[in-house]
Amino acid sequence: MSDLLIRPATIADTEQILRFIRDLAIYENAEHEVLATPEHVHRTLFCAQPAVYGLMCMNGDQPLGFAVYFFNYSTWQGRHGLYLEDLYVSPDSRGQGAGKALLAHLARIAVERDCGRFEWSVLDWNAPSIAFYDSLGAEPQNEWIRYRLTGQALQNLALQAQ
């Protein structure tokens, strides 16, 4: 891991970030769901006061992977948490410690920011990632069911607030 560098993503990384996003979506059989454009990335990751942050994992000038995260809040703990939205390491770079280096860097950020939790989601069929997370001491949170509103259902509920 000594040759790996984890650094904040910059606006110059936009195209690489979008490539990683598409590659992750292909791996997750969801390429058709990717709507992100360079403008979206600029407006969210690289605005004056971002609510979401990116990291790049590099080996020299070679990008190996990336992570996108944000801070949430636990009312029960009275503390922020760090939520990992995406982590992706290109297939030809796996096994070099990039994923672990990204997670360790994020854990350090969480500790430095006094976060009570560091959480993420993984698809239930992604056995290699689940085994990796288990090896780090991460614990699945099976008692919660994740819900999502998108598209017309989101629009319909929003209309009820008017």
Side-chain angles (χ1 to χ4, degrees), residues 88-103:
Y88 180 76
V89 175
S90 60
D92 58 336
S93 299
R94 293 180 188 155
Q96 299 178 34
K100 187 173 184 180
L102 282 162
L103 287 170

Side-chain angles (χ1 to χ4, degrees), residues 56-126:
M56 299 295 293
C57 180
M58 309 292 292
N59 186 346
D61 61 354
Q62 178 67 38
L64 306 181
F66 86 121
V68 173
Y69 66 100
F70 58 90
F71 295 97
N72 55 20
Y73 187 75
S74 168
T75 55
W76 291 3
Q77 291 187 332
R79 296 165 72 187
H80 285 101
L82 188 148
Y83 189 85
L84 172 60
E85 177 63 24
D86 280 329
L87 184 145
Y88 180 76
V89 175
S90 60
D92 58 336
S93 299
R94 293 180 188 155
Q96 299 178 34
K100 187 173 184 180
L102 282 162
L103 287 170
H105 190 91
L106 288 162
R108 191 182 83 216
I109 291 170
V111 168
E112 288 173 354
R113 296 278 304 259
D114 191 35
C115 292
R117 298 176 177 155
F118 173 20
E119 299 176 304
W120 59 90
S121 298
V122 62
L123 291 166
D124 60 3
W125 55 259
N126 192 344

Side-chain angles (χ1 to χ4, degrees), residues 5-160:
L5 169 71
I6 307 297
R7 63 163 175 78
T10 68
I11 201 163
D13 296 316
T14 299
E15 288 304 319
Q16 183 62 59
I17 290 168
L18 288 167
R19 250 189 312 281
F20 282 149
I21 289 169
R22 280 189 289 279
D23 290 347
L24 175 59
I26 290 167
Y27 176 74
E28 293 182 351
N29 300 312
E31 182 180 15
H32 62 283
E33 294 182 36
V34 175
L35 304 175
T37 66
E39 293 75 27
H40 291 124
V41 172
H42 294 172
R43 191 173 65 236
T44 55
L45 280 168
F46 306 118
C47 61
Q49 294 182 318
V52 62
Y53 307 91
L55 297 174
M56 299 295 293
C57 180
M58 309 292 292
N59 186 346
D61 61 354
Q62 178 67 38
L64 306 181
F66 86 121
V68 173
Y69 66 100
F70 58 90
F71 295 97
N72 55 20
Y73 187 75
S74 168
T75 55
W76 291 3
Q77 291 187 332
R79 296 165 72 187
H80 285 101
L82 188 148
Y83 189 85
L84 172 60
E85 177 63 24
D86 280 329
L87 184 145
Y88 180 76
V89 175
S90 60
D92 58 336
S93 299
R94 293 180 188 155
Q96 299 178 34
K100 187 173 184 180
L102 282 162
L103 287 170
H105 190 91
L106 288 162
R108 191 182 83 216
I109 291 170
V111 168
E112 288 173 354
R113 296 278 304 259
D114 191 35
C115 292
R117 298 176 177 155
F118 173 20
E119 299 176 304
W120 59 90
S121 298
V122 62
L123 291 166
D124 60 3
W125 55 259
N126 192 344
S129 292
I130 292 169
F132 174 59
Y133 299 145
D134 287 344
S135 77
L136 298 174
E139 298 176 1
Q141 302 297 296
N142 298 325
E143 66 272 15
W144 294 95
I145 298 172
R146 186 172 173 175
Y147 278 82
R148 177 181 295 165
L149 276 173
T150 62
Q152 193 59 53
L154 176 60
Q155 296 295 322
N156 291 345
L157 185 58
L159 288 173
Q160 294 179 28

